[in-house]
Amino acid sequence: MASARLADLWDDAVANSLDEPGKLLYRSNLLGSDLRITNFGGGNTSAKVKATDPLTRQEVTVLWVKGSGGDIGSMKLDGFSTLYLDKLEALKGLYRGLTHEDEMVGYLPHCTFDLNPRAASIDTPLHAFVPKIHVDHVHPDAVIAIAASRNAEKLTQEIFGGEIGFLPWQRPGFDLGLKLSKLATENPHLTGVVLGGHGLFTWDDDAKACYQLTLRIIQKAADWLEAKASKPAFEGSKTTSLPAAERAAIATRLMPEIRGRIGKAQAKSGHFTDAPEVLEFVNSNALDKLAPLGTSCPDHFLRTKIRPLVIPFAGDIEATIASLDGLIEAYRADYAAYYARCKHADSPAMRDPNAVIYLVPGVGMLSFAADKATARIAAEFYVNAINVMRGASGVDTYVGLPEQEAFNIEYWLLEEAKLQRMPKPKGLAGRTALVTGGAGGIGRAIAARLMQEGANAVLADIDQASLDAAVADFGKLFGKDRVRGIAMDVTDEASVIAAFEETARSYGGIDIVVNNAGISSAAAVEDTTLELWNRNISILATGYFLVAREGYRLMKNEGNGGSLVFIASKNGVSASAGASAYCTAKAAEIHLARCMALEGAPHGIRVNVVNPDAVLRGSKIWQGEWRQQRAASNKIGEDDLEEFYRKRSLLQRSVYPEDIAEAVYFFASDLSAKSTGNFLNVDAGNVVSFTR
Ligand SMILES: [Zn+2]
């Protein structure tokens, strides 16, 4: 399989119009645009730039280096930290040796140039002390494959013929910066270094030359691996992939089962992939040998945990599900033992002992994390790890990072401090909500409210065009990972079942179901046709039943409770003339909610009702016929309806979609953890709908 070559994207016309920091940003974005050059969020770039000191007006040299966090592919100029190079040099005089290395991080803010608030990364000394103007540090799969081979140093020499040096694995920090500096200074012919078990450094005094050098070195490694690799990869295949539809069906069954077991303390979002490189690995003879070795590059295992959990799948899904308890228990015990073996006196407490990556031969890979984007990115990192293992085991023996080193990174006090600084997760983080009528006015307001609190939203609607627009809008607001649109007809059992299957496969399960899709109609009893009657019953009563039943089944199966919220109506509790079919169907919804609350309680599944009244703005129900009929029956103009309903309410206020969404959020969240079988009127007050 010959892969496409890395493209030189440097454009002089663009670059020559930029100043030095601009050129550095340009180079960084180009490097980060190709995942073969570096993984998401991995690597950093720097330039040593002349500038005028704001106080002394003297010329000084400033190190521009990617700061803590962010990704070189998408970063902006404010992603760089800026530090006085002479002050960084002066830190060498304060250095007390390897056991005190971490204290050097505390000095970095003292070197800040021009009050730049961007925190300097742990890799700063690695850039500062290399005696070249431009430095690139990237994590290419092809180079890590060499760096994670047993004979990494020899292979580096063989491939690059002395142009690229080698440093054995060492945790990045001040000390590695000194070693890198020494190697580069004593060997001026070197253009870069392979860091064992980690990645690549390259350098040059010219920005463009540095970029092209980085590309050339990575391409050389990739070409060499391709030419030398033993075939087939991973010692050939042991298992055959199931057909795509069956792989998806197995993932759909397995994901809620796993999520239910590992999400008791904190809800998790899942991700499924059966990309060709994943299947090649999970189906291979080498799986059982390589998977337990864990990943190599620190970036990889911080995202994927020390090792994945392999779920043997022998073609029987029920037997596989039955085996999950034992497999997950064994993984946790293994993780706890790793923690106990490696911990230091001052190590932070053990974190979540559950696996992040689950490998299923014949099926693919599942991943779970605190939110959907993190779960997806973890899967992408494991694909990086697979590429590394394929490369290394194809030319040599793959070696994972030594366990103690892995632990020292995972439970590094600096890493812990970073975690502690992160904002606390929002109330609905990791949870998934399905909202019917999700592309309409009230449905969108509900989804937006739940997403603001961290939930993933599945918008289910029959209107594909509105659905596409809503998904695009929410993607921009909350990130594409957190929203899905599913075309669904609430009256069609197969369509509803398929929507929940897709939800399970997209996010791992369900926590919140909002029954909101509706219609309205008005007719005197004698004029109510059977067709009109059936239409109300099928969409409002049967539709609510089908959606609630599937959501309930999935929640019960996961075993971590959940919340169903029905959008009913004031008319569900109070009779209204001229709308018998609608009122009867709405009453059926409310009673269904009470029956389900009764059955759901032992499983922690809560069912509550929100009764809106006269939410005209943004509502599809209030367009067309219903609007005309309501205006006619109240003997007013259509434009006067909102004012009419406002004046009719006790509080004399209009009710908006956002008001309904707030009530749904209350019932969906733990704020109402002790409420079930309730209804809440959001109608600005109507005595006829008072609870009785
Ligand atoms: Zn790195």
Side-chain angles (χ1 to χ4, degrees):
M1 176 178 75
S3 39
R5 302 186 69 76
L6 295 175
D8 180 352
L9 303 172
W10 191 275
D11 182 348
D12 282 328
V14 175
N16 293 345
S17 69
L18 303 169
D19 62 5
E20 281 305 322
K23 237 179 255 184
L24 171 64
L25 178 65
Y26 178 62
R27 181 173 102 228
S28 308
N29 291 163
L30 289 186
L31 289 170
S33 69
D34 191 329
L35 288 176
R36 292 173 297 173
I37 295 173
T38 203
N39 53 268
F40 175 81
N44 29 56
T45 43
S46 71
K48 299 173 181 81
V49 179
K50 299 272 185 239
T52 304
D53 185 277
L55 286 185
T56 65
R57 311 309 295 171
Q58 304 276 309
E59 188 186 74
V60 289
T61 305
V62 176
L63 175 73
W64 285 67
V65 58
K66 196 201 96 171
S68 192
D71 175 64
I72 60 170
S74 56
M75 72 184 295
K76 305 267 171 22
L77 214 51
D78 68 0
F80 291 99
S81 54
T82 48
L83 306 102
Y84 289 96
L85 193 62
D86 58 351
K87 292 192 182 183
L88 288 168
E89 282 291 335
L91 295 184
K92 290 176 180 171
L94 295 172
Y95 183 50
R96 297 195 291 150
L98 196 54
T99 48
H100 304 281
E101 180 183 50
D102 287 357
E103 74 187 16
M104 302 311 288
V105 176
Y107 292 123
L108 293 177
H110 292 278
C111 306
T112 303
F113 172 78
D114 204 18
L115 306 177
N116 182 350
R118 173 65 59 182
S121 101
I122 205 87
D123 285 352
T124 300
L126 284 75
H127 288 262
F129 302 152
V130 168
K132 290 282 175 182
I133 295 173
H134 301 279
V135 180
D136 290 339
H137 167 49
V138 287
H139 297 162
D141 292 346
V143 174
I144 303 175
I146 292 152
S149 292
R150 175 164 295 158
N151 299 296
E153 183 163 11
K154 192 171 134 268
L155 293 182
T156 302
Q157 173 68 28
E158 190 178 331
I159 298 165
F160 302 110
E163 177 189 5
I164 297 286
F166 182 84
L167 283 173
W169 162 258
Q170 181 175 340
R171 194 171 68 178
F174 199 85
D175 204 79
L176 188 60
L178 294 179
K179 290 207 171 83
L180 193 58
S181 170
K182 184 166 188 286
L183 190 76
T185 309
E186 289 174 2
N187 302 276
H189 63 284
L190 291 181
T191 60
V193 166
V194 168
L195 298 180
H198 181 165
L200 177 70
F201 266 84
T202 37
W203 48 68
D204 199 281
D205 282 334
D206 178 76
K208 179 181 175 182
C210 189
Y211 167 75
Q212 291 175 331
L213 167 72
T214 303
L215 256 53
R216 179 170 65 78
I217 297 299
I218 298 169
Q219 189 66 56
K220 204 165 181 179
D223 290 346
W224 191 89
L225 286 174
E226 200 165 304
K228 293 285 168 107
S230 57
K231 311 254 173 14
F234 299 128
E235 301 167 30
S237 58
K238 180 165 121 183
T239 314
T240 316
S241 292
L242 293 168
E246 279 182 55
R247 297 198 296 268
I250 301 290
T252 303
R253 286 291 311 277
L254 275 179
M255 289 178 79
E257 296 284 349
I258 295 171
R259 183 176 187 260
R261 285 165 171 83
I262 65 172
K264 304 250 177 255
Q266 173 71 48
K268 288 184 173 153
S269 294
H271 183 78
F272 166 61
T273 173
D274 55 359
E277 56 268 57
V278 169
L279 288 172
E280 181 186 51
F281 180 63
V282 299
N283 291 345
S284 74
N285 283 307
L287 175 69
D288 294 339
K289 186 171 71 186
L290 290 176
L293 296 179
T295 57
S296 173
C297 180
D299 259 17
H300 295 179
F301 74 75
L302 277 176
R303 294 279 191 170
T304 66
K305 265 223 168 92
I306 180 130
R307 57 184 68 96
L309 194 166
V310 177
I311 299 176
F313 176 71
D316 179 351
I317 181 66
E318 301 304 335
T320 306
I321 289 171
S323 74
L324 285 177
D325 277 336
L327 289 168
I328 289 171
E329 259 326 305
Y331 187 95
R332 288 177 186 148
D334 185 61
Y335 185 84
Y338 149 76
Y339 177 85
R341 270 196 306 279
C342 299
K343 72 171 178 186
H344 306 286
D346 59 351
S347 291
M350 188 176 84
R351 303 195 192 108
D352 181 8
N354 290 297
V356 170
I357 302 289
Y358 300 76
L359 304 176
V360 192
V363 177
M365 166 165 65
L366 315 173
S367 53
F368 290 89
D371 61 71
K372 173 69 185 182
T374 308
R376 174 182 56 77
I377 291 166
E380 289 170 9
F381 271 81
Y382 201 77
V383 170
N384 289 124
I386 288 172
N387 291 338
V388 166
M389 289 186 278
R390 188 196 306 103
S393 59
V395 296
D396 193 16
T397 301
Y398 169 77
V399 282
L401 213 53
E403 184 177 83
Q404 187 66 54
E405 289 297 325
F407 180 90
N408 291 350
I409 293 252
E410 189 176 353
Y411 284 91
W412 197 353
L413 293 175
L414 295 174
E415 192 68 32
E416 174 71 8
K418 210 156 109 185
L419 292 175
Q420 295 299 336
R421 279 198 302 272
M422 302 229 304
K424 288 271 169 279
K426 293 188 171 165
L428 299 181
R431 298 192 203 180
T432 297
L434 183 142
V435 183
T436 69
I442 297 179
R444 280 181 70 139
I446 292 168
R449 185 70 187 91
L450 300 178
M451 293 185 87
Q452 276 167 16
E453 299 301 327
N456 307 309
V458 176
L459 311 178
D461 208 294
I462 47 170
D463 180 349
Q464 186 70 55
S466 302
L467 206 47
D468 292 344
V471 168
D473 286 351
F474 284 139
K476 274 181 217 134
L477 278 172
F478 302 106
K480 284 183 184 153
D481 285 298
R482 283 180 47 208
V483 61
R484 292 281 178 282
I486 300 180
M488 184 186 88
D489 176 353
V490 296
T491 66
D492 178 345
E493 184 177 26
S495 168
V496 172
I497 290 172
F500 277 93
E501 286 175 348
E502 193 176 332
T503 301
R505 200 159 55 243
S506 295
Y507 292 110
I510 192 84
D511 306 278
I512 300 157
V513 173
V514 185
N515 248 327
N516 165 69
I519 51 157
S520 52
S521 68
V525 171
E526 66 271 29
D527 299 329
T528 300
T529 61
L530 180 59
E531 194 264 328
L532 184 71
W533 173 267
N534 283 343
R535 192 168 137 73
N536 276 278
I537 298 298
S538 74
I539 294 174
L540 299 175
T542 309
Y544 272 44
F545 157 70
L546 287 174
V547 169
R549 186 191 66 183
E550 286 318 301
Y552 182 94
R553 281 175 170 167
L554 192 48
M555 287 173 186
K556 192 177 163 195
N557 195 24
E558 283 187 61
N560 290 332
S563 174
L564 295 145
V565 186
F566 289 19
I567 307 301
S569 167
K570 184 198 81 180
N571 294 114
V573 287
S574 112
S576 177
S580 55
Y582 177 76
C583 293
T584 306
K586 282 289 165 187
E589 289 174 5
I590 293 174
H591 214 59
L592 171 65
R594 290 167 172 154
C595 294
M596 291 188 68
L598 194 64
E599 287 188 42
H603 309 288
I605 300 171
R606 300 183 295 110
V607 191
N608 292 287
V609 175
V610 174
N611 286 330
D613 186 42
V615 184
L616 280 77
R617 187 183 297 172
S619 168
K620 282 188 202 165
I621 290 173
W622 282 93
Q623 291 157 10
E625 213 184 345
W626 173 263
R627 190 181 180 91
Q628 291 161 15
Q629 286 161 345
R630 289 292 94 186
S633 97
N634 289 302
K635 302 186 175 56
I636 52 169
E638 285 181 45
D639 291 341
D640 300 325
L641 273 171
E642 187 161 345
E643 186 62 8
F644 170 78
Y645 283 112
R646 186 181 74 75
K647 289 213 168 119
R648 197 184 66 174
S649 72
L650 292 171
L651 297 170
Q652 304 268 297
R653 302 187 72 177
S654 295
V655 183
Y656 301 125
E658 293 71 26
D659 302 318
I660 309 306
E662 201 59 41
V664 171
Y665 166 61
F666 172 71
F667 279 138
S669 73
D670 296 343
L671 291 172
S672 62
K674 295 168 189 176
S675 291
T676 192
N678 274 314
F679 69 70
L680 177 59
N681 295 324
V682 185
D683 59 356
N686 272 287
V687 71
V688 292
S689 51
F690 280 7
T691 313
R692 69 200 76 177

